[in-house]
Amino acid sequence: GERNPIEGKFGQAKNGYGMNRIRARLKNTSQSWIASIILVLNLVKLAGMALPCLSFSAWKDLKNMLRNAIRQILEIQKIQNQPRELSGLVL
């Protein structure tokens, strides 16, 4: 039962990331491919774990950044539409 998660990761690496399709001629090249696939597996897992942590700590900053960006866009549109409003073409 202890090896089930490990075997599952090997299965994921073989089916999802092509570890079973490595056809390198040199031993070092094969080891590099395997290490790269394992690195990708770890990065995917870390990214999944980091997303909830990031969301709790950064939501307030992200919300403020979006709010400021929207305000800037609205100000730019207001300035661009100002000559039209003065000409009477815009209601």
Side-chain angles (χ1 to χ4, degrees):
E2 292 177 17
R3 291 217 24 107
N4 283 344
I6 297 168
E7 294 296 330
K9 279 297 170 186
F10 279 125
Q12 182 183 5
K14 286 180 179 180
N15 294 326
Y17 294 94
M19 191 182 278
N20 59 344
R21 294 188 300 264
I22 296 173
R23 299 285 184 254
R25 293 179 187 221
L26 300 175
K27 180 181 176 181
N28 290 339
T29 309
S30 295
Q31 290 174 346
S32 297
W33 274 101
I34 292 168
S36 299
I37 291 171
I38 291 172
L39 175 69
V40 168
L41 284 169
N42 288 330
L43 289 174
V44 168
K45 184 174 181 176
L46 285 174
M49 291 170 46
L51 187 62
C53 297
L54 176 79
S55 64
F56 288 124
S57 64
W59 270 117
K60 189 174 182 179
D61 295 334
L62 182 62
K63 186 172 82 173
N64 289 334
M65 286 173 45
L66 287 173
R67 185 179 293 143
N68 291 335
I70 290 170
R71 283 182 185 156
Q72 289 176 353
I73 291 169
L74 291 174
E75 286 296 320
I76 290 170
Q77 287 180 345
K78 187 186 225 182
I79 292 169
Q80 289 175 347
N81 289 333
Q82 198 170 26
R84 288 188 226 152
E85 291 173 356
L86 295 175
S87 67
L89 299 174
V90 177
L91 297 176

